[in-house]
């Protein structure tokens, strides 16, 4: 952002987020906490209500569908919370690390304590494991969970946990049921929002949901807002259609217009491009370079100008393949809320990725494995529960 937009547009608490302040809260609502816990409460209302319902063989499928959807939504909300308010999951090094307060009942008087990091991820996996056996294969309304969506979220979760065999297996299970990719040659890049009709209309989308507010980089919502990083934009090949489909040239830089929602709201759901990249990354880490390159090339050719010959990716080692997959994740999955989680997990393995911003002539840096990658529990939550451990900052 320009200095003028930073000081004239952003509220103080958002300024603190932007600069990774150690103490970001100034008394405003913390929607990143409040909204997911509202989803969790609603899911618990449904799950508690189902306990009082007896069903027959005739309506068993409907009962299972409702229960499976509630479990998916609860797991999805806890996963999102864990990426912000719990430390990164480091396989083999989770002992003594705090996770989230886990609410399992709709009763407002339920005693609340902070669970461990392992308990948090165990609940996410347990909810999804049950949901996958309750939900059906068909995806009729994409704002509702399905079996492919559950497989996709399991794959994403296991990737975060560095459980690559499981990540591969669930990504593969998802793609066996639903493996479509959008051909960007059929997308009109001249439109203000090329993905017309919203994410529910696209065959690539598995589960449709958006971020809770308009993003800073939205086009044409507020053309004076933040711009796309010029280094990221320059990393796309001339014949990579994402360069035209995702970005729009403004007077002071590039804005992002490539949300699958087809509007200014950023798509943050589950789609097959991510699942192909999960399977490719897991395959590369497991030494299966052939499968990884196959997935990578299948995705990339769907983004390539059909009038120019596509040169497939090649690699001689798993590490070289992995580097190519990780680069594609950064270029394909931008502005979906995934890069933050990637930075957290990749820095755990020593990739030493630092990010920085310059405001008012001063440079602000977020170094690898910095405690500020985990946001503090909101102050009002700690005030209600004084014994709850706070995150290190």
């Amino acid at each position: 952002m320009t200095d003028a937009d930073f000081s004239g547009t952003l509220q103080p608490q958002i300024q603190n987020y932007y600069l990774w302040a150690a103490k970001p809260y100034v008394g405003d609502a913390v929607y990143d906490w409040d909204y997911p816990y509202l989803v969790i409460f609603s899911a618990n209302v449904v799950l508690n209500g189902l306990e009082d319902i007896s069903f027959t063989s005739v309506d068993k499928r409907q009962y299972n569908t409702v229960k499976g959807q509630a479990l998916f939504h609860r797991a999805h909300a806890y996963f999102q919370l864990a990426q912000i308010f719990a430390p990164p999951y480091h396989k083999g090094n989770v002992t003594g690390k705090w996770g989230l307060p886990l609410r399992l009942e709709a009763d407002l008087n339920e005693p609340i304590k902070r669970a461990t990091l392992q308990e948090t991820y165990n609940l996410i996996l347990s909810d999804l494991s049950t949901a996958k056996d309750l939900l059906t294969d068909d995806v009729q309304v994409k704002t509702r969970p399905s079996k492919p969506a559950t497989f996709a979220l399991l794959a994403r979760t296991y990737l975060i946990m560095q459980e690559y065999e499981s990540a591969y297996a669930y990504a593969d299970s998802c793609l066996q049921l639903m493996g479509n990719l959008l051909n960007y040659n059929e997308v009109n890049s001249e439109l203000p929002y090329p993905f017309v009709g919203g994410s529910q209309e696209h065959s690539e989308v598995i589960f449709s949901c958006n971020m809770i507010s308009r993003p800073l980089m939205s086009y044409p919502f507020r053309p004076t807002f933040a711009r796309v990083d010029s280094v990221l934009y320059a990393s796309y090949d001339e014949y990579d259609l994402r360069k035209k489909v995702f970005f729009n040239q403004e007077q002071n830089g590039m804005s992002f217009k490539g949300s699958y929602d087809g509007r200014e709201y950023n798509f943050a759901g589950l789609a097959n491009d991510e699942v192909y990249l999960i399977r490719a990354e897991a395959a590369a880490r497991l030494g299966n370079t052939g499968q990884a390159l196959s997935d990578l090339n299948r995705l990339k050719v769907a983004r390539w100008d059909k009038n120019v010959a596509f040169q497939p990716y090649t690699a001689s080692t798993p590490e070289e393949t992995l580097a190519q997959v990780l680069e594609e994740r950064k270029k394909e999955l931008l502005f979906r809320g995934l890069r933050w989680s990637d930075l957290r997990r990749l820095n755990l393995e020593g990739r030493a990725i630092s990010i920085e911003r310059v405001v008012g002539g001063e440079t602000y840096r977020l170094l690898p494995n910095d405690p500020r990658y985990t946001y503090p529990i909101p102050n009002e939550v700690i005030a209600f529960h004084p014994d709850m451990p706070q995150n290190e900052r």
Side-chain angles (χ1 to χ4, degrees):
M1 300 189 71
T2 65
D3 288 355
D5 283 336
F6 175 85
S7 60
T9 304
L10 299 188
Q11 297 174 342
Q13 188 159 299
I14 306 301
Q15 290 178 343
N16 289 342
Y17 292 162
Y18 185 77
L19 300 178
W20 314 296
K23 296 182 178 180
Y25 308 135
V26 298
D28 296 342
V30 184
Y31 294 119
D32 306 88
W33 177 278
D34 295 346
Y35 281 23
Y37 271 107
L38 179 60
V39 171
I40 291 164
F41 172 76
S42 299
N44 285 336
V45 169
V46 172
L47 292 169
N48 288 172
L50 289 173
E51 294 174 358
D52 299 326
I53 295 176
S54 58
F55 58 88
T56 67
S57 59
V58 176
D59 52 21
K60 181 178 180 180
R61 178 173 177 173
Q62 184 180 8
Y63 180 96
N64 287 344
T65 298
V66 172
K67 183 176 181 179
Q69 289 182 3
L71 289 168
F72 176 95
H73 283 302
R74 186 168 74 177
H76 187 238
Y78 275 128
F79 178 87
Q80 301 296 336
L81 286 162
Q83 306 316 300
I84 306 294
F85 300 102
Y89 189 101
H90 194 179
K91 183 181 178 181
N93 186 25
V94 295
T95 303
K97 294 187 178 181
W98 290 110
L100 301 167
L102 300 180
R103 302 206 65 146
L104 303 177
E105 304 290 336
D107 182 3
L108 296 179
N109 296 313
E110 177 189 8
I112 298 299
K113 64 177 183 178
R114 193 168 180 186
T116 67
L117 188 62
Q118 188 64 62
E119 289 170 338
T120 299
Y121 277 86
N122 285 348
L123 177 63
I124 294 168
L125 294 176
S126 176
D127 280 357
L128 293 174
S129 180
T130 303
K132 71 178 174 57
D133 295 327
L134 297 172
L135 296 171
T136 59
D137 297 357
D138 58 314
V139 184
Q140 295 182 350
V141 181
K142 292 187 177 181
T143 51
R144 296 179 183 175
S146 61
K147 189 184 291 290
T150 307
F151 285 152
L153 188 53
L154 277 163
R156 181 191 282 180
T157 303
Y158 276 118
L159 186 72
I160 291 291
M161 298 174 69
Q162 302 102 52
E163 296 283 356
Y164 301 118
E165 290 184 357
S166 295
Y168 181 96
Y170 281 112
D172 185 68
S173 294
C174 175
L175 294 172
Q176 294 300 325
L177 295 176
M178 185 177 179
N180 299 320
L181 283 173
L182 291 170
N183 184 346
Y184 279 19
N185 287 279
E186 300 173 359
V187 176
N188 186 354
S189 63
E190 299 300 320
L191 295 176
Y193 296 111
F195 299 103
V196 296
S199 55
Q200 293 195 61
E201 301 299 320
H202 298 302
S203 60
E204 188 172 302
V205 172
I206 307 168
F207 175 69
S208 175
C209 68
N210 299 329
M211 295 185 186
I212 60 176
S213 61
R214 289 182 171 93
L216 298 181
M217 293 183 179
S218 172
Y219 166 83
F221 173 57
R222 293 288 292 275
T224 58
F225 264 37
R227 290 290 173 256
V228 173
D229 178 70
S230 58
V231 176
L232 173 64
Y233 177 75
S235 70
Y236 294 85
D237 188 278
E238 179 183 359
Y239 302 107
D240 189 332
L241 295 174
R242 293 175 296 188
K243 200 165 190 176
K244 297 179 179 179
V245 172
F246 285 173
F247 308 112
N248 190 73
Q249 179 66 59
E250 303 287 342
Q251 289 184 349
N252 59 346
M254 288 289 169
S255 61
F256 177 66
K257 63 176 184 178
S259 171
Y260 274 6
D261 184 58
R263 300 177 296 164
E264 67 270 18
Y265 289 94
N266 274 355
F267 171 78
L270 296 158
N272 285 333
D273 56 349
E274 180 190 355
V275 182
Y276 274 108
L277 287 166
I278 291 174
R279 189 170 72 176
E281 179 178 342
R285 291 182 181 276
L286 295 170
N288 188 349
T289 57
Q291 179 65 62
L293 290 171
S294 175
D295 284 338
L296 202 56
N297 287 321
R298 181 170 181 179
L299 173 65
K300 191 64 177 291
V301 75
R303 282 28 177 172
W304 196 259
D305 188 335
K306 65 181 180 181
N307 298 309
V308 180
F310 171 68
Q311 297 297 321
Y313 279 109
T314 60
S316 56
T317 65
E319 182 56 41
E320 184 181 355
T321 307
L322 177 60
Q324 293 175 340
V325 174
L326 295 179
E327 180 67 14
E328 280 304 311
R329 276 189 67 90
K330 183 168 64 174
K331 293 159 67 174
E332 175 70 21
L333 306 177
L334 64 172
F335 309 126
R336 296 194 194 178
L338 297 173
R339 184 61 179 169
W340 182 260
S341 296
D342 281 352
L343 290 171
R344 285 167 35 118
R345 69 184 180 91
L346 294 175
N347 279 329
L348 288 175
E349 58 187 41
R351 293 189 179 269
I353 306 169
S354 297
I355 49 179
E356 67 179 41
R357 289 168 178 158
V358 179
V359 175
E362 185 173 352
T363 300
Y364 298 82
R365 292 186 175 89
L366 188 61
L367 300 178
N369 304 313
D370 193 297
R372 291 175 295 163
Y373 268 110
T374 304
Y375 271 69
I377 304 296
N379 297 332
E380 59 269 28
V381 176
I382 297 296
F384 275 114
H385 308 283
D387 296 331
M388 183 176 293
Q390 180 59 283
N391 291 325
E392 175 191 354
R393 293 286 282 181

